[in-house]
C-alpha cells in the first residue's frame, strides 16, 4: 500500500482557490470592460447631441431665427430684421445686446440658458450661476438613456461682433452624473 499515491485535501483546496480567483478576475475584467464600453458609447452619443445643438444654433443664426424671451419684454433675432418674431417693443439684433450675466439680471454673473428647436429658434429657459435649469432642458431619449441638452449664450471679446455658444449635454448612469460640453464662437454675418 505504500505505492499508492493521491492528492491531499490541502492540494485540492489550493487548486480550487486558485481556479476561483482566476474565474473571479476574468469576470471582473469582463464587467469592467463592458462598463467602459457603455460609457464610451454614451459619451459619444452625448457629444453628437452637443454637436447637433451647435449646428442648430448656427442654422438659426444663418436663417435669422428668433431668440425668444432673452429679457422679460424683448424678442430678438440675430440681425434684428425678422418680422416673424413679433417683439414688443421693437426687436434689436442679438449683437446689440451684451450678455454679461443672467438674461433677466445681467449683474448676477449667471448665464443665459436656452432650448433650441430643429429650426434654430432659441427659447430662453432661465439663468443660474452654477447649474442649468434641468426642469426646462431639452430631454432626448436614446434607447434606455435619457440626455438633457441646453445652450448657453454668452459674450466673447466683443459682444457686437461675436457670441460664445456652449452646448451642454448631461446624463446619469450607474457611475453617476456626466456631461459633454462643446464651445464655439459665432461671428456676425
Amino acid at each position: 500500500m505504500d505505492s499508492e499515491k493521491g492528492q491531499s485535501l490541502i492540494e485540492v483546496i489550493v487548486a480550487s482557490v486558485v481556479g476561483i480567483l482566476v474565474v473571479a478576475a476574468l469576470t471582473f475584467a469582463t464587467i469592467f470592460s463592458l462598463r467602459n464600453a457603455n460609457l464610451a458609447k454614451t459619451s459619444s452619443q452625448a457629444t453628437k447631441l452637443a454637436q447637433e445643438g451647435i449646428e442648430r444654433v448656427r442654422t438659426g443664426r444663418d436663417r435669422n431665427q428668433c431668440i425668444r424671451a432673452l429679457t422679460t419684454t424683448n424678442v430678438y433675432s440675430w440681425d434684428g430684421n425678422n418680422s416673424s418674431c413679433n417683439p414688443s417693443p421693437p426687436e434689436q439684433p442679438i449683437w446689440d445686446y451684451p450678455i454679461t450675466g443672467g438674461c433677466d439680471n445681467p449683474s448676477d454673473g449667471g448665464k443665459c440658458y436656452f432650448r433650441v428647436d430643429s429650426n434654430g429658434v432659441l427659447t430662453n429657459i432661465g439663468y443660474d450661476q452654477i447649474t442649468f435649469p434641468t426642469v426646462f432642458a431639452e430631454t432626448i431619449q436614446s434607447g434606455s438613456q435619457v440626455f438633457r441638452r441646453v445652450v448657453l449664450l454668452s459674450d466673447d471679446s466683443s459682444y457686437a461682433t461675436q457670441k460664445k455658444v456652449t452646448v451642454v449635454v448631461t446624463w446619469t448612469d450607474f457611475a453617476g452624473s456626466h456631461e459633454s460640453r462643446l464651445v464655439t464662437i459665432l461671428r456676425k454675418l
Side-chain angles (χ1 to χ4, degrees):
M1 291 226 194
D2 288 336
S3 64
E4 289 184 32
K5 293 185 178 180
Q7 295 180 342
S8 70
L9 182 59
I10 292 176
E11 290 173 331
V12 170
I13 290 173
V14 168
S16 297
V17 167
V18 168
I20 289 171
L21 288 175
V22 168
V23 168
L26 290 173
T27 302
F28 176 76
T30 301
I31 290 170
F32 185 74
S33 65
L34 287 173
R35 283 186 173 180
N36 281 342
N38 188 41
L39 180 61
K41 176 185 168 193
T42 307
S43 295
S44 176
Q45 287 176 316
T47 300
K48 286 179 184 178
L49 290 170
Q51 289 171 336
E52 179 186 90
I54 285 177
E55 289 306 314
R56 284 183 174 187
V57 174
R58 184 173 285 119
T59 298
R61 181 213 45 195
D62 295 347
R63 293 180 181 172
N64 194 35
Q65 293 289 354
C66 297
I67 302 172
R68 302 193 185 284
L70 188 59
T71 67
T72 55
T73 57
N74 291 341
V75 178
Y76 296 83
S77 67
W78 288 93
D79 71 6
N81 294 319
N82 191 337
S83 61
S84 67
C85 291
N86 298 321
S88 176
E91 74 178 91
Q92 300 173 337
I94 188 65
W95 310 108
D96 291 348
Y97 184 79
I99 307 173
T100 55
C103 295
D104 296 311
N105 184 1
S107 65
D108 78 349
K111 301 205 185 295
C112 297
Y113 293 93
F114 296 85
R115 292 176 66 143
V116 60
D117 69 15
S118 59
N119 293 320
V121 175
L122 290 166
T123 302
N124 180 253
I125 56 174
Y127 62 94
D128 190 298
Q129 292 183 356
I130 300 170
T131 58
F132 64 86
T134 57
V135 173
F136 301 109
E138 180 182 7
T139 302
I140 302 160
Q141 181 91 26
S142 177
S144 62
Q145 190 63 56
V146 176
F147 298 94
R148 295 190 180 278
R149 174 172 59 196
V150 294
V151 174
L152 290 82
L153 286 184
S154 58
D155 290 324
D156 196 44
S157 59
S158 169
Y159 71 85
T161 59
Q162 54 192 30
K163 296 293 181 190
K164 182 176 172 183
V165 179
T166 305
V167 177
V168 180
V169 177
T170 61
W171 73 97
T172 304
D173 63 10
F174 63 89
S177 296
H178 308 280
E179 81 173 22
S180 179
R181 180 180 296 254
L182 294 178
V183 179
T184 191
I185 302 295
L186 288 184
R187 298 188 192 290
K188 188 174 184 179
L189 291 178

